[in-house]
Amino acid sequence: MNNAEIEKAEIELVLQAIKARYGWNFIHYKRSSLHRSIRRIISKYNIEHISDLITMIMWNEEFMNTLLCDLSIPVSDMFRDPDFFSVLRYDVIPVLKTYPFIKIWHAGCASGEEVYSLAILLAEENLYDRSRIYATDINNNALEKAREGIFPMSKFSSYENNYRHSGGKEKLLNYFISKYDAIIINANLKKNIFFFDHNLSSDQSFAEMNLILCRNVIIYFDQTLQKKVINLFDESLCYGGFLCLGMKESIDFLKASRDLYLWKKKEKIYRKGIPDVQGEKHDFTIQQT
Ligand SMILES: C[S@@+](CC[C@H](N)C(=O)[O-])C[C@H]1O[C@@H](n2cnc3c(N)ncnc32)[C@H](O)[C@@H]1O
């Protein structure tokens, strides 16, 4: 075995250790990004060999929490991909407005920037009071930050820029209280958001969702896990419900589907049961793994 092969084998052992000790299954995550994260971690903690992580994973729960933060890549942004939020505002929201009550699942919500962007959009479109947002992630530290809704003031101008480009018409600061070097989301935008721990690789589906956002999450999964997760979303959506993936995420390899149609190609929005004019059908007949 050369060094690269040894490292490859060590990574598999680390993933087995995490699964055995904590039940988190990273086995179906893409090796390229896992490898990068693990390399970063061993250099951050001055660890010589990847396999030295195994003892720490087994015996040091606190270290595992830190490791989970590094492995799960909980980075997010307000109104990330403004073009996507613009399509959400001008194409998806008018459809949702026709329903008496709207159920939204925001999967892989990280520290909440995207969830609060959606809450602001719903409030501006007079839909917030009729909406329930279930925001989930595997990373409890990120969920805790999301619940707090406190973000650095240093990022505000970039948030505002995205908001403007997405079609925002108000002053973004109206939705926050600024305190020292932080901005805190208004409490009334939190009241219909429920944050909780949910693992896409092992937990159950939800029922009758009108909208699911899972952006920049499945890009880290291999095709087996991607198929499983898309199946979970398919089960969780009501007829006519929307599924929004990240703009760089492709599930074209799944081919024509039982029920999901590509609805907006560039923004990677799919719709259950109802094709758009240029809609394409994708096959998500998934083999369970
Ligand atoms: C790059 S962030 C994306 C955040 C946000 N959706 C966005 O696009 O700005 C990926 C998130 O997916 C979460 N994640 C990774 N694996 C997951 C899983 N199996 N179940 C639920 N969430 C997961 C991570 O913890 C992380 O917070």
Side-chain angles (χ1 to χ4, degrees):
M1 264 186 171
N2 60 31
N3 285 358
E5 287 164 340
I6 295 173
E7 282 204 346
K8 225 169 138 192
E10 283 181 303
I11 288 177
E12 300 311 312
L13 293 172
V14 164
L15 301 183
Q16 294 291 353
I18 296 173
K19 187 161 182 257
R21 175 70 171 83
Y22 302 94
W24 288 309
N25 190 348
F26 285 96
I27 312 274
H28 289 291
Y29 282 52
K30 278 186 193 148
R31 291 297 180 270
S32 48
S33 48
L34 275 179
H35 201 139
R36 272 197 303 278
S37 304
I38 289 178
R39 281 241 128 262
R40 253 198 321 270
I41 292 160
I42 64 165
S43 111
K44 180 167 147 191
Y45 294 99
N46 224 355
I47 294 167
E48 195 176 353
H49 299 299
I50 292 175
S51 48
D52 295 338
L53 284 170
I54 295 172
T55 316
M56 297 168 83
I57 288 164
M58 287 302 193
W59 294 101
N60 188 342
E61 225 166 294
E62 214 168 287
F63 174 74
M64 186 58 222
N65 277 335
T66 321
L67 190 64
L68 181 66
C69 286
D70 289 317
L71 285 180
S72 66
I73 319 180
V75 288
S76 192
D77 198 359
M78 292 263 171
F79 295 91
R80 185 178 195 173
D81 304 321
D83 287 351
F84 163 75
F85 275 92
S86 167
V87 169
L88 205 54
R89 183 188 289 269
Y90 295 112
D91 296 301
V92 177
I93 299 272
V95 180
L96 298 181
K97 272 187 176 167
T98 63
Y99 305 143
F101 189 74
I102 297 130
K103 282 169 70 180
I104 300 168
W105 177 16
H106 203 131
C109 66
S111 36
E113 288 87 338
E114 246 196 352
V115 190
Y116 292 121
S117 308
L118 179 65
I120 290 168
L121 188 52
L122 292 167
E124 288 184 358
E125 299 296 325
N126 294 320
L127 262 188
Y128 186 78
D129 288 336
R130 282 196 270 149
S131 306
R132 290 284 171 282
I133 305 175
Y134 305 95
T136 63
D137 205 284
I138 41 164
N139 183 330
N140 275 307
N141 290 346
L143 282 171
E144 205 37 58
K145 281 192 193 157
R147 277 187 201 102
E148 285 171 4
I150 304 174
F151 303 99
M153 179 58 100
S154 56
K155 290 200 172 161
F156 184 74
S157 70
S158 140
Y159 293 163
E160 191 161 47
N161 204 23
N162 285 351
Y163 169 71
R164 287 263 157 270
H165 280 93
S166 74
K169 297 173 200 88
E170 306 293 324
K171 280 191 171 160
L172 188 59
L173 204 53
N174 289 349
Y175 302 105
F176 296 89
I177 296 164
S178 52
K179 206 169 183 185
Y180 307 114
D181 53 359
I183 48 169
I184 307 164
I185 195 84
N186 287 347
N188 59 356
L189 283 173
K190 283 183 171 179
K191 66 177 195 267
N192 293 346
I193 306 176
F194 305 91
F195 289 102
F196 54 96
D197 186 352
H198 178 280
N199 189 336
L200 288 166
S201 68
S202 53
D203 291 335
Q204 298 291 310
S205 56
F206 287 63
E208 293 293 298
M209 293 289 141
N210 301 102
L211 172 65
I212 297 177
L213 277 88
C214 182
R215 306 183 64 239
N216 311 302
V217 179
I218 67 164
I219 199 166
Y220 300 108
F221 299 168
D222 70 11
Q223 289 196 352
T224 306
L225 185 53
Q226 287 183 349
K227 282 183 188 173
K228 188 174 171 178
V229 171
I230 295 298
N231 196 35
L232 192 74
F233 294 151
D234 192 8
E235 279 170 23
S236 304
L237 281 171
C238 64
Y239 178 79
F242 296 92
L243 169 65
C244 306
L245 299 177
M247 287 172 75
K248 289 193 197 115
E249 288 167 327
S250 167
I251 48 173
D252 292 349
F253 71 93
L254 289 170
K255 298 255 176 65
S257 129
R258 34 185 221 228
D259 242 353
L260 285 166
Y261 291 87
L262 184 58
W263 196 70
K264 293 288 167 206
K265 201 168 186 165
K266 185 173 149 240
E267 293 77 19
K268 302 287 163 47
I269 302 180
Y270 298 80
R271 193 157 186 210
K272 184 162 171 168
I274 304 172
D276 191 25
V277 188
Q278 80 272 38
E280 288 168 22
K281 217 175 178 199
H282 283 262
D283 185 6
F284 302 128
T285 320
I286 314 293
Q287 303 109 19
Q288 292 294 332
T289 53

